[in-house]
Structure formats: structure tokens, C-alpha cells
Amino acid sequence: RYQNLGKGLADGVRTRLSIAGLSILSPTSSKELKASGQRSEKMQNSRVEKYLEGTARLEKETMSVAVNLIDSTTEAIIWARLYEGKLEEGLGGIVDEISLDVARQVKQPLRKDKLHALQNRGSANLDAVIAMYAGNEAEIKYRDSANEEDFVEALRSYQKAIALDPDYCLAYVHLGDLYEARFVETDQAADLQAMVRAYQKAHDLDASVPQVHVGLGWAYFHQGRFDSAYASFKKALALDSAEER
């Protein structure tokens, strides 16, 4: 049930620290460095100064997360903390605490008002969050394989996330992304229509999310509405720049 819990925590912290102005490695780059037998050397070559390691444990309805901030040159732990929270309260609280603490440790303050804005576009329902991340994993497989079974798996996960939390803006964005990926492969009108509906619903829920306008931009582009596509992409850039301030 909670196999995507760690990914949800990691992605949440990564997003918040990026908003704080920190340069964060992509998930793919992070995995490559972790798998390397010469991690310290490769991190220095990639100009990585510090990195986070963490473990998450579940006992009954309590979630415990241990986080270490490590110097990439010396491999020394320079800060550590244990966080605990109730599953019913969702990931948001613990993710915010970790992000605020890490930002303070690297002297890059993170404003709480920006965290509140992020919470509004996420979900307080832990199972909905986990379902969305399961959809992300299946969607990545589909984009690599174009296998219909992977598409169906991703679709069911996103639909589950939306059923659990009908106001989950980002779940609709990812649902639109999934249909867009298949439309590029098949050029089926039904996928284009489903893509537009998903992005429009996300827009109705929260028009301040940059990804919503990126999605609408691609929907307009595929419809041949190039002026509208340009306007949407421009809006996404403006919102993204505003979040960085």
C-alpha cells in the first residue's frame, strides 16, 4: 500500500528546496550518483556540495522519517533529525518540516507562504498522494515502452488518486500528461479530448500552478491553436518565475 511513500517524501522535499532557490539534482541524476561506485568523486565533479539521505518507517499508523544532511567531500553527517507524524495527517506536514530545516541548515531560507501555496495544489489524503506517485512510475514505463498495459496501470492510479481526492489539482495535470503521451503515439482524437478535459479541470481547481498552463499549452498546440498555446506557455513561465522570487 505504501511502497511509493519514500518517493512521495523525496519529491516533496526536492520541490520545496528548489523553490527556496537551491540547485537540486534531478531524480535520474540522483539515482545514477547513488548507484556509482565512486559517488564522492562524481558528486564533486557535478558540483554537489551536500546531499540528503533518509529512511522512512511505518508502525501501525505512525510514520517515522530519519534524515541526514551529508557533506559530499568528507562524507561526514553535518546534521540529522528524526521526524514523526500520523499517516492520517498526510505527507505535507513532515515534508514541510524537513524542507524548512534543511533550508535553514544550508542558509537558504524558505518562506512558509510558499509552502502553503504548494499544499493547496497537493493533497492531504496520503493514499491519494501515493496513488499519484504510482501513476508517475507507470507513466514513465509507458513513455519508454509505449506498452498499453503500462498506460492502463498509470491511468488507473491517477483515477484512483482523483477518486480519493476530487480536488487534487496535480493528479489532473498528470492525467493530462498521460493522455498527451499517448496522443503523440496514436493521434487519436479521444486522447486529445481527454487531455483537454484533464488540464481544464486542473485549471479550474488552481490556475496558479505553472504545470497547468504548460499542459494547456500543449493541448492548444495539438489543436493547432498556436496563439493560445504561446499565451499558455508564457503564462507558465511567468508563474514559475514568480514562485522563484
Side-chain angles (χ1 to χ4, degrees), residues 43-84:
M43 281 190 174
Q44 290 177 48
N45 291 338
S46 301
R47 302 179 67 183
V48 175
E49 297 178 2
K50 301 177 181 66
Y51 64 96
L52 284 177
E53 283 191 344
T55 58
R57 292 183 57 190
L58 294 173
E59 292 186 7
K60 296 183 179 180
E61 296 301 314
T62 299
M63 173 171 49
S64 300
V65 182
V67 179
N68 297 325
L69 181 64
I70 301 171
D71 185 288
S72 63
T73 302
T74 64
E75 293 289 332
I77 297 175
I78 55 180
W79 171 83
R81 184 177 167 186
L82 178 66
Y83 300 84
E84 291 189 345

Side-chain angles (χ1 to χ4, degrees), residues 120-121 169 173 199-214 216 232 235-236 238-240 243:
N120 290 339
R121 68 189 61 162
C169 176
V173 171
Y199 288 139
Q200 189 59 58
K201 178 62 177 180
H203 182 273
D204 293 343
L205 288 169
D206 190 346
S208 71
V209 179
Q211 297 97 310
V212 168
H213 297 277
V214 172
L216 283 172
S232 290
K235 180 66 173 179
L239 288 170
D240 193 50
E243 285 192 345

Side-chain angles (χ1 to χ4, degrees), residues 183 186-195:
F183 176 75
T186 65
D187 199 32
Q188 294 294 315
D191 287 332
L192 177 58
Q193 294 166 3
M195 178 203 322

Side-chain angles (χ1 to χ4, degrees), residues 44-146:
Q44 290 177 48
N45 291 338
S46 301
R47 302 179 67 183
V48 175
E49 297 178 2
K50 301 177 181 66
Y51 64 96
L52 284 177
E53 283 191 344
T55 58
R57 292 183 57 190
L58 294 173
E59 292 186 7
K60 296 183 179 180
E61 296 301 314
T62 299
M63 173 171 49
S64 300
V65 182
V67 179
N68 297 325
L69 181 64
I70 301 171
D71 185 288
S72 63
T73 302
T74 64
E75 293 289 332
I77 297 175
I78 55 180
W79 171 83
R81 184 177 167 186
L82 178 66
Y83 300 84
E84 291 189 345
K86 297 293 184 182
L87 285 179
E88 63 186 19
E89 297 171 355
L91 296 178
I94 283 183
V95 168
D96 285 353
E97 278 192 76
I98 295 171
S99 303
L100 288 166
D101 285 343
V102 172
R104 292 190 194 103
Q105 292 298 319
V106 298
K107 297 180 172 56
Q108 189 76 30
L110 179 57
R111 285 165 37 191
K112 288 189 176 182
D113 59 335
K114 291 188 175 182
L115 294 182
H116 293 324
L118 279 172
Q119 290 170 353
N120 290 339
R121 68 189 61 162
S123 175
N125 186 311
L126 181 60
D127 286 331
V129 174
I130 291 171
M132 193 192 76
Y133 282 116
N136 291 165
E137 295 285 350
E139 182 184 337
I140 291 170
K141 291 180 184 178
Y142 173 71
R143 289 178 180 275
D144 289 339
S145 67

